Amino acid sequence: SLFRLKDLEVPKLGDCDVHVKMLAAPINPADINMIQGRTYPLLSPLPAVGGNEGVGEVLEVGRRVKALKPGNWVIPADAGLGTWRTQGVFPEEMLLKVPSDIPVLCAATLSVNPCTAFRLLVDFESLAPGDSVIQNAANSGVGQAVIQIARASGIKTINVVRDRPDLSKLVERLMALGADHVITEEMLRKPEMKDIFKSIPRPRLALNCVGGKSTTEMLRHLQPKGTMVTYGGMAKQPVMVPVSAFIFRDMRLRGFWMTQWRKDHAQDQESVAAMMDALCQLIRRGQLTAPACTEVPLQDYRAALEASMKPFVSSKQILLL
C-alpha cells in the first residue's frame, strides 16, 4: 500500500508560521488520484502527507502573524497542504480563518466542494431566481453543494445520477437537500424529459463532471447560447459535442479547476472572503450542510481509504484527528 501512519517531529515555529492541531479531514477522490499520480497536475515531493481539505485549531502563532490567534479555526487556502495529520506547522498564507461557530464537519468539507459549487453557479452565467441548472454526478460532494446553494438562491436544479440498486433512497436524500428533479442517465434520452420543462425553464447552465455520453445527452436540454462547464471527468471519456449544437445553438463549452481559480485570485482577498462569508452564512442558516459523512478515527485510516474507493459511495469518509 502507498500509505502508512508515521510519527513526525513538529517543526520549530517560525516568525510567520502557525502551529495547528488538525480536528477533521475528509478523504476525497482527488486526494487519492493525486497520490496515485494519476490525471492530476499537482504532485507533492515524496514522502508527503496526503489530504487537501480539513479544519484545524490554531495552537500557537509566530510573532509576525497578524490575522490568526490561538483558538481560531483554519482551513487550507489551497490544495496540497497535507491535512491527514494530527498537527502541523504552516506558513500563515497557507491558511484561511473560518468561524468556529459552524459545525466541524461543515468546516472540514468547506474548502473544495462548496467553493467549487459556488464558483460554478456564479462565474459562468448570471442566473436569476426561477432559472434552472442541470448537472450530472449530482450526488457528489460538489453536486450536493450545488443543489443547496441553488435552492437558497431560488434556482431550480435538474440532477442526473447513475442508476443503482438503492436509487429511491438517493432520490429521497437529494430531494431533501432541495433538488427539484432527480433523474437517471437513461431518462435524459426519454421523451418524458419534456414534462420537466412544462414547470421549469430549460437550463442555461450545465455542470459536467462525468464526460462521455452523459455530457452529450445533457447538452441536448440546454437553452440556445447556454454554457456547459466541465470540472471533472469521472467516465474518463472525452466530451463529445454535435457540430449542430455549436452552429445552430451557439453552445459555450468552458472548464473550471478550483486550484486555478485560487491561483488567479491569490492577490484578491476580497473575492475569497466574499465567497467564504456567503458559504458560512448559508451554513449558519442551515441551508448548506456537510455531505453525508462517516467519521473514522485516524488509526482506522486503511478502512476509510478502502471505503472511499468503493463504487456508488454515498458517504464521505472523514478522519477525526
Side-chain angles (χ1 to χ4, degrees):
S1 147
L2 291 162
F3 300 96
R4 56 182 65 93
L5 204 50
K6 260 184 82 158
D7 285 317
L8 301 173
E9 284 285 299
V10 175
K12 219 162 69 43
L13 190 71
D15 286 351
C16 301
D17 288 343
V18 180
H19 182 187
V20 177
K21 167 180 176 279
M22 292 303 296
L23 301 173
I27 298 177
N28 292 317
D31 301 331
I32 292 167
N33 289 346
M34 200 164 149
I35 288 157
Q36 292 170 335
R38 282 219 294 258
T39 67
Y40 230 71
L42 278 180
L43 286 179
S44 312
L46 297 172
V49 178
N52 291 299
E53 197 175 30
V55 62
E57 183 183 328
V58 175
L59 294 178
E60 198 189 343
V61 300
R63 57 190 182 86
R64 292 172 56 193
V65 172
K66 294 279 183 290
L68 295 170
K69 55 180 198 293
N72 286 163
W73 278 13
V74 288
I75 63 174
D78 209 342
L81 191 68
T83 53
W84 301 343
R85 61 172 102 212
T86 53
Q87 294 189 21
V89 170
F90 308 106
E92 178 183 18
E93 73 266 12
M94 290 176 77
L95 303 168
L96 285 178
K97 183 177 161 185
V98 291
S100 53
D101 65 348
I102 61 174
V104 70
L105 294 181
C106 288
T109 52
L110 183 58
S111 66
V112 179
N113 296 327
C115 289
T116 301
F118 184 88
R119 301 264 55 108
L120 289 170
L121 287 169
V122 168
D123 292 351
F124 296 92
E125 286 280 344
S126 47
L127 299 169
D131 284 342
S132 78
V133 172
I134 188 168
Q135 63 166 345
N136 55 24
N139 57 316
S140 67
V142 172
Q144 292 177 51
V146 163
I147 290 171
Q148 296 174 83
I149 297 166
R151 178 63 181 267
S153 328
I155 294 160
K156 310 284 184 204
T157 56
I158 302 164
N159 301 281
V160 186
V161 296
R162 286 180 299 172
D163 200 1
R164 63 194 63 214
D166 53 350
L167 181 66
S168 58
K169 260 209 196 94
L170 174 62
V171 171
E172 213 169 285
R173 221 180 68 226
L174 296 183
M175 297 299 275
L177 287 180
D180 294 283
H181 298 275
V182 182
I183 59 176
T184 61
E185 301 271 355
E186 291 68 40
M187 263 196 72
L188 277 174
R189 288 180 209 104
K190 300 251 163 76
E192 291 89 280
M193 280 299 290
K194 288 198 184 68
D195 296 340
I196 289 181
F197 301 121
K198 283 177 185 152
S199 57
I200 64 175
R202 285 187 176 267
R204 293 190 10 221
L205 181 65
L207 306 175
N208 166 47
C209 84
V210 178
K213 210 184 241 152
S214 163
T215 314
T216 315
E217 295 296 339
M218 266 202 322
L219 258 185
R220 277 191 189 176
H221 302 296
L222 266 193
Q223 277 187 37
K225 294 197 187 327
T227 303
M228 184 172 72
V229 186
T230 293
Y231 68 96
M234 283 160 40
K236 299 194 166 44
Q237 288 165 351
V239 168
M240 307 284 276
V241 181
V243 171
S244 61
F246 283 126
I247 300 174
F248 302 119
R249 293 166 59 223
D250 190 15
M251 288 304 173
R252 284 135 224 264
L253 264 63
R254 302 284 309 271
F256 181 77
W257 188 32
M258 193 64 218
T259 302
Q260 188 62 45
W261 187 92
R262 290 193 193 284
K263 278 201 187 80
D264 295 345
H265 293 79
Q267 301 315 311
D268 175 8
Q269 281 316 298
E270 270 172 47
S271 292
V272 177
M275 168 173 71
M276 301 316 283
D277 287 349
L279 292 170
C280 290
Q281 284 298 351
L282 291 174
I283 290 168
R284 283 198 196 93
R285 289 192 213 121
Q287 292 178 309
L288 178 60
T289 54
C293 292
T294 305
E295 303 178 35
V296 185
L298 181 60
Q299 58 271 24
D300 302 342
Y301 74 96
R302 282 187 193 280
L305 283 165
E306 262 162 44
S308 68
M309 297 196 218
K310 289 202 173 84
F312 299 122
V313 181
S314 58
S315 184
K316 200 175 267 301
Q317 305 291 311
I318 304 252
L319 300 171
L320 294 184
L321 306 158

